[in-house]
Amino acid sequence: MPDLPNEKSYADGKILQHATDGVGVITFNNPDKRNAMSLEMWEGFGEALTALRDDDAVRVVILRGAGGKAFVSGADISQFEKSRHNAAASEEYARRSVAQRALLADYPKPTIACIQGFCLGGGMQVAMLADIRLAAQGSQFGIPAAKLGIAYGFDGLKHLVSLVGPSWARLLMYTGMRIDSAEALRIGLVERVFPEGELWGETMAIAETISQNAPLAIKAAKITIAQVLKDESARDMGAIKTIGTACMDSADFREGRQAFMEKRKPKFSGR
Ligand code: COA
């Protein structure tokens, strides 16, 4: 993965953030620990997500790991003895990291996890909360909770089950096994796999396509798909109607129609 210029630093440089041409990038940057996530990193991750969410120029956000060996190798186990040693401590620990994951779960812009190397435990949680997962050949995926004695909560498993189905979720959780990119692709855990040297370019190409498309149309798709995944009783059909109306009344819809008729590339403003 290439270094990016002028990255903003969070959590003492262990989380980096960059934005250019409508594409935001957050890098997990603790390669000596295979980008294991400390609480400080979770909080820095939340701050970086918030900054890119509030930057109107940013239309899509890529998540990636530094060092070439890992996306994220899970929570930083060396912090467990002090801050996650029993149920009460675990609850406080979860509170601090869950809030940051909730930001990603409810993120208003499209997100892409760009995965090279190990994607384990909390790394899988992050990747599964992203809208799309693209991976390099040779990556490894797993949730070793059963090897550590950790219980995964509802949200952690909801996404796994919705992506790979209950049987694969059980196989992965009961054994704590790691699977490779080819298997992850086959079971629907990742959407595409590329040779290592092509992953970043392919990820940027998809991000750039998204960033040039109509933001309201993408938002409508994102909101509607999220509602499809909810139980019927919890569904907010009003939210779908609201974004649908905004989209169909938008200047961008007019621009999209005109550009097609004039055989030119549309220029969308998000309004
Ligand atoms: N928490 C804390 N430290 C971690 C870590 C984690 N989740 N994952 C890796 N590290 C540290 C290792 O302790 C090691 O530190 P050291 O250099 O001080 O010994 C360093 O990162 C490199 O790891 P190492 O195991 O030597 O590299 P590897 O390439 O052979 O294996 C992993 C990488 C990720 C497969 C292996 O480190 C691992 O299994 N980590 C734990 C994964 C896990 O259980 N995650 C779920 C947590 S809930």
Side-chain angles (χ1 to χ4, degrees), residues 166-200:
S167 292
W168 259 107
R170 292 186 189 107
L171 184 54
L172 289 168
M173 295 307 294
Y174 294 176
T175 63
M177 73 200 282
R178 296 207 298 248
I179 59 171
D180 63 16
S181 303
E183 188 127 63
L185 182 66
R186 199 170 59 71
I187 68 174
L189 186 58
V190 302
E191 280 66 60
R192 282 199 168 160
V193 173
F194 301 103
E196 241 178 54
E198 292 170 24
L199 174 67
W200 182 246

Side-chain angles (χ1 to χ4, degrees), residues 18-25 55-60 204 207-212:
H18 170 89
T20 188
D21 294 336
V23 180
V25 181
D55 180 343
D56 285 341
V58 171
R59 302 249 178 108
V60 52
M204 278 303 281
E208 278 160 11
T209 300
I210 293 172
S211 76
Q212 287 160 19

Side-chain angles (χ1 to χ4, degrees), residues 32-34 36 73-77 80 118 120 144 148 150 178:
D32 287 350
K33 284 195 173 183
R34 304 296 182 263
S73 67
D76 184 336
I77 301 169
F80 285 9
F118 294 109
L120 303 173
L148 287 157
I150 294 176
R178 296 207 298 248

Side-chain angles (χ1 to χ4, degrees), residues 18 24 32 36-37 44 52 57 73 83 93 117 125 142 147 171 203 227 242 249 264 267:
H18 170 89
D32 287 350
M37 294 287 282
L52 293 175
S73 67
S83 39
Y93 179 98
Q125 279 189 291
K147 292 186 185 295
L171 184 54
T203 303
Q227 297 300 329
T242 304
D249 279 343
R264 62 174 172 81
K267 197 158 174 26

Side-chain angles (χ1 to χ4, degrees), residues 11-259:
D12 275 337
K14 294 198 167 76
I15 298 288
L16 300 173
Q17 177 238 292
H18 170 89
T20 188
D21 294 336
V23 180
V25 181
I26 296 176
T27 305
F28 303 104
N29 184 37
N30 191 9
D32 287 350
K33 284 195 173 183
R34 304 296 182 263
N35 305 325
M37 294 287 282
S38 62
L39 279 172
E40 297 71 27
M41 285 172 72
W42 280 119
E43 283 167 351
F45 178 49
E47 288 169 46
L49 279 172
T50 304
L52 293 175
R53 181 195 66 193
D54 296 343
D55 180 343
D56 285 341
V58 171
R59 302 249 178 108
V60 52
V61 174
I62 298 172
L63 310 176
R64 64 176 196 165
K69 291 191 175 159
F71 175 70
V72 169
S73 67
D76 184 336
I77 301 169
S78 69
Q79 287 193 325
F80 285 9
E81 201 48 46
K82 196 163 147 248
S83 39
R84 206 184 182 184
H85 51 283
N86 61 26
S90 246
E91 214 157 289
E92 168 62 14
Y93 179 98
R95 194 186 56 73
R96 287 176 66 187
S97 62
V98 162
Q100 323 307 330
R101 285 198 292 274
L103 272 174
L104 182 58
D106 295 328
Y107 212 62
K109 300 176 183 182
T111 51
I112 303 173
C114 173
I115 302 160
Q116 180 178 346
F118 294 109
C119 178
L120 303 173
M124 282 271 285
Q125 279 189 291
V126 170
M128 291 190 298
L129 285 172
D131 290 329
I132 299 161
R133 284 145 297 283
L134 307 175
Q137 282 166 0
S139 299
Q140 296 262 325
F141 303 81
I143 302 183
K147 292 186 185 295
L148 287 157
I150 294 176
Y152 256 56
F154 182 85
D155 285 339
L157 290 182
K158 182 175 79 173
H159 297 286
L160 182 66
V161 173
S162 80
L163 286 170
V164 306
S167 292
W168 259 107
R170 292 186 189 107
L171 184 54
L172 289 168
M173 295 307 294
Y174 294 176
T175 63
M177 73 200 282
R178 296 207 298 248
I179 59 171
D180 63 16
S181 303
E183 188 127 63
L185 182 66
R186 199 170 59 71
I187 68 174
L189 186 58
V190 302
E191 280 66 60
R192 282 199 168 160
V193 173
F194 301 103
E196 241 178 54
E198 292 170 24
L199 174 67
W200 182 246
E202 295 284 353
T203 303
M204 278 303 281
I206 290 175
E208 278 160 11
T209 300
I210 293 172
S211 76
Q212 287 160 19
N213 281 341
L216 285 173
I218 291 171
K219 199 169 172 188
K222 179 151 181 165
I223 287 173
T224 307
I225 292 166
Q227 297 300 329
V228 168
L229 290 175
K230 288 188 178 167
D231 283 343
E232 203 174 337
S233 60
R235 254 178 224 155
D236 183 356
M237 299 307 278
I240 298 176
K241 176 108 184 82
T242 304
I243 184 66
T245 305
C247 195
M248 301 315 281
D249 279 343
S250 68
D252 278 351
F253 179 38
R254 205 178 324 123
E255 165 65 6
R257 295 192 305 268
Q258 268 174 11

